Amino acid sequence: MTHTDGDEPGLSMTLLPYLRLQGLRRVAPGNIKGMVDHYRTPETQRGFAEKYDQDVRKVTSFADSTKLSMETTVLANATGFHVGRRGMYGPSCSYVRELAKLLPAEQMLETGLVDYSVGAMPMTGAWVIVHEESPLKKAQLSYYKLGDGPFFLFYTPFHLPHVQIPSTIGRAIIHRDATVAPIAGPVCEVLTIAKRNLKARERLDGVGGFCCYGLIDNRGAARHIAALPIGLSEGCVLRRDLAKDEAISFDDVESPAGRLAEKLWREQNERWPLETALARVWPGQTPLQGNGFTHEISGRHLNV
């Protein structure tokens, strides 16, 4: 099982082991986004979809943060890094390297963060922030125009998921190496958030629709409110009125009967109970075994 190289999680996960080999402490990976507007719909995106011969619901999910949240959840579950808050911080800046000074230093050092930049050149691709206190390394990184530190950002200025699918397959089949794979149980989830005021008995239309958008959150926070994952939202019928931007829970909906996806999701939660997942991400834990790369934050070891 692997996510694709060329898409943003794959770009970050390719950078992470490279930076580890340089002896640098990785503390935050993420996406470069041109814009995010939670309230885009298939109607607002129809012209863009037709211009580029794209599926309108797909491009709606690109704009409203659902796809972004899904991609950073993939990244969180592959690294063990958290989000600093529901939906991430997503600072705006003109050049992506400015992001190294815009994310909370304490959170990056404590749990690691997944996040994104908005409007930053080069407008596409992915990045990884490292933390370096060594005077020698800081001097060399500064000399090569990477900033003053102690946080430095490395990035890939493009993403070509369709072009790079063959390299993903080759890497998996020939080298038995997944580009991106979860290290264990879930660390983050994508919640279902009301895109507008919703009325009882409305039927949710899922990813890229008119009713809701997706936001990433830490698993503990998501399970605390019994959050409905965006991937399970389509076809659910609301039991009550919901306000715009309100998180939707399982208690708020009637789910379609007999769904295999929901059955598998519940089996996943049984396999990785919340208490186990929370214990895994705190300092002082024993190493987790995975695909050969190890990341140390606050004394714990995570596969990267």
Side-chain angles (χ1 to χ4, degrees), residues 8 11 21 36 74 103 118 132 138 158 162 174 182 185 192 196 215 233 235 266 268 288 298-299:
E8 287 94 340
L11 295 179
L21 290 173
V36 173
V74 167
L103 292 176
V118 175
E132 186 54 63
K138 284 174 66 177
F158 56 84
H162 302 89
I174 299 171
T192 304
R196 55 177 172 79
L215 284 184
S233 65
R266 294 187 183 280
Q268 172 184 273
L288 291 168
S298 299

Side-chain angles (χ1 to χ4, degrees), residues 69-292:
S69 290
M70 288 179 169
E71 289 175 338
T72 45
T73 294
V74 167
L75 197 50
N77 293 341
T79 60
F81 292 168
H82 288 190
V83 287
R85 66 182 185 189
R86 180 184 296 172
M88 302 175 285
Y89 294 107
S92 296
C93 51
S94 60
Y95 176 46
V96 68
R97 284 216 165 99
E98 297 169 16
L99 193 67
K101 296 182 178 180
L102 298 178
L103 292 176
E106 184 176 338
Q107 287 184 315
M108 284 194 284
L109 295 175
E110 174 61 24
T111 65
L113 289 183
V114 294
D115 218 291
Y116 68 102
S117 62
V118 175
M121 292 299 294
M123 302 295 285
T124 184
W127 48 263
V128 173
I129 294 173
V130 304
H131 180 262
E132 186 54 63
E133 292 287 3
S134 162
L136 177 59
K137 289 182 183 177
K138 284 174 66 177
Q140 292 301 311
L141 292 169
S142 297
Y143 175 73
Y144 287 108
K145 310 298 188 294
L146 290 173
D148 300 324
F151 294 96
F152 301 90
L153 188 143
F154 295 78
Y155 67 93
T156 301
F158 56 84
H159 77 293
L160 304 169
H162 302 89
V163 174
Q164 292 180 274
I165 284 176
S167 66
T168 306
I169 297 169
R171 183 171 165 181
I173 299 302
I174 299 171
H175 299 290
R176 313 298 295 173
D177 180 32
T179 302
V180 188
I183 57 173
V187 177
C188 288
E189 299 184 14
V190 184
L191 282 58
T192 304
I193 310 294
K195 194 173 278 189
R196 55 177 172 79
N197 292 333
L198 300 172
K199 296 295 185 181
R201 308 314 302 167
E202 281 198 65
R203 187 178 301 274
L204 301 181
D205 56 359
V207 173
F210 291 89
C211 294
C212 45
Y213 61 94
L215 284 184
I216 186 174
D217 207 345
N218 294 309
R219 187 185 179 208
R223 292 303 94 230
H224 179 71
I225 62 169
L228 175 69
I230 187 73
L232 298 178
S233 65
E234 186 168 359
C236 290
V237 177
L238 294 177
R239 291 187 171 122
R240 66 179 182 92
D241 294 351
L242 287 158
K244 182 179 179 180
D245 296 321
E246 189 172 352
I248 303 174
S249 76
F250 278 103
D251 296 333
D252 297 325
V253 300
E254 296 171 6
S255 301
R259 296 192 297 178
L260 177 60
E262 184 169 342
K263 176 177 181 291
L264 294 173
W265 181 80
R266 294 187 183 280
E267 288 180 3
Q268 172 184 273
N269 285 342
E270 291 174 3
R271 179 170 181 179
W272 287 287
L274 183 59
E275 293 76 14
T276 301
L278 291 175
R280 175 166 54 80
V281 297
W282 291 114
Q285 300 303 306
T286 55
L288 291 168
Q289 300 305 311
N291 53 5

